[in-house]
Amino acid sequence: MSEYKYIDRLRKAMENKYSKEYIQRCSDYAKKLLDKNLPVIYDGRHASEILELQQIKMECYHTFTIAGKNKQRNITAPSYELKRRQKWILKEILEKQNVSKNCHGFLKDRSILTNAKMHIGHRNILNLDIKDFFPSITQTMVISLFQEIGYSESAAKFLAEVCCYEEKLPQGAPTSPYISNLILRSMDEKLEKFCLKKEITYTRYADDMSFSSNEDIGGLSDEICSIIEEYPFKINQKKICYYQDPYRKIVTGLIVKENEVCIPKKFKRKLKQEIYYCRHLGVQKHLENTGNSERTGFKEYMYGKAYFVAMVEPETGEKYLEELDKIEWGY
């Protein structure tokens, strides 16, 4: 059905029920959204009908903790039914919007590898981290985003409510990463403009920002932080890292060299060691020896690490995958 047929049907349905001015206003609104290949949503009630939200509870979330390398992350995940609706919003609305070219997180064909590769060959690298990244993005900011996309205030409020929890962006909803990229687009562009003048390369992967140059840029951190803090974000001062030649340089967990990006030796050494113990002692015995006898999903965890290595160092990663295939996983 073409956009014009949609509008023709809309006009016929509204004829003799509403004023010509109101019908024209609705038609113009619909056309603007259809021109952007977006679903037409007039207001909150219409959004509720489209998403069939009468059947579910909007506050259906559960919280759990994931231990990371340097910190624990609290994940607030929606119920299956709510997640299904958020995925619709992601596919039909959010992913049709462009993010900045500096952004490498949560996007197809971009990754921590493409992020790190942008800094190959640079002698100086400055890494910054946004503190409390997802919780810093409020429901009010998300409402403004949907309005910028083209939705009415009522529709934008409702869509934002579906994507937020306790008036913040939940780390666990499928919509949150892309929303964060769109909300940070203005900041990315301002940082890019600043960096172009200074001949600095800038990239961002989620809350991790990296700046690199062959010139000394350590003294620019205050200027960069002041730009970031023009927005409702704070820099984690404890995680500011500045790397200079001849020392090792790291971007999003990967080592950046003169001509290549590689996995840290410590990571590969530990993975190789775990594979050895699993093969020679058995998986269950290895888990018992490391105090993880009740652990679940260990096989997936090990293969995930090997695939991570393979993404960056294909030959080495393939060897780890072959070794993992030889393990008896019946534990």
Side-chain angles (χ1 to χ4, degrees), residues 197-256:
K197 292 179 181 177
K198 306 287 185 179
E199 297 185 346
I200 297 171
T201 296
Y202 162 59
T203 65
R204 179 178 60 80
Y205 186 93
D207 54 351
D208 293 317
M209 293 172 289
S210 298
F211 305 82
S212 66
S213 175
N214 286 324
E215 303 300 322
D216 185 354
I217 57 173
L220 296 175
S221 61
D222 287 345
E223 285 185 72
I224 291 170
C225 287
S226 66
I227 292 173
I228 294 164
E229 292 181 355
E230 288 177 19
Y231 300 84
F233 301 108
K234 297 291 182 183
I235 294 299
N236 190 334
Q237 296 294 326
K238 294 179 181 179
K239 294 184 71 176
I240 295 176
C241 296
Y242 187 47
Y243 303 99
Q244 292 180 286
D245 276 350
Y247 301 103
R248 184 180 72 165
K249 296 180 282 294
I250 297 177
V251 173
T252 47
L254 300 176
I255 297 174
V256 178

Side-chain angles (χ1 to χ4, degrees), residues 237-284:
Q237 296 294 326
K238 294 179 181 179
K239 294 184 71 176
I240 295 176
C241 296
Y242 187 47
Y243 303 99
Q244 292 180 286
D245 276 350
Y247 301 103
R248 184 180 72 165
K249 296 180 282 294
I250 297 177
V251 173
T252 47
L254 300 176
I255 297 174
V256 178
K257 295 185 176 182
E258 182 65 28
N259 299 307
E260 64 178 350
V261 170
C262 59
I263 302 284
K265 289 181 180 178
K266 184 178 180 181
F267 183 95
K268 291 184 287 186
R269 186 166 57 244
K270 184 178 179 182
L271 176 57
K272 186 176 180 180
Q273 185 181 58
E274 285 197 280
I275 291 173
Y276 175 86
Y277 288 137
C278 286
R279 287 198 64 193
H280 291 81
L281 299 177
V283 176
Q284 188 58 48

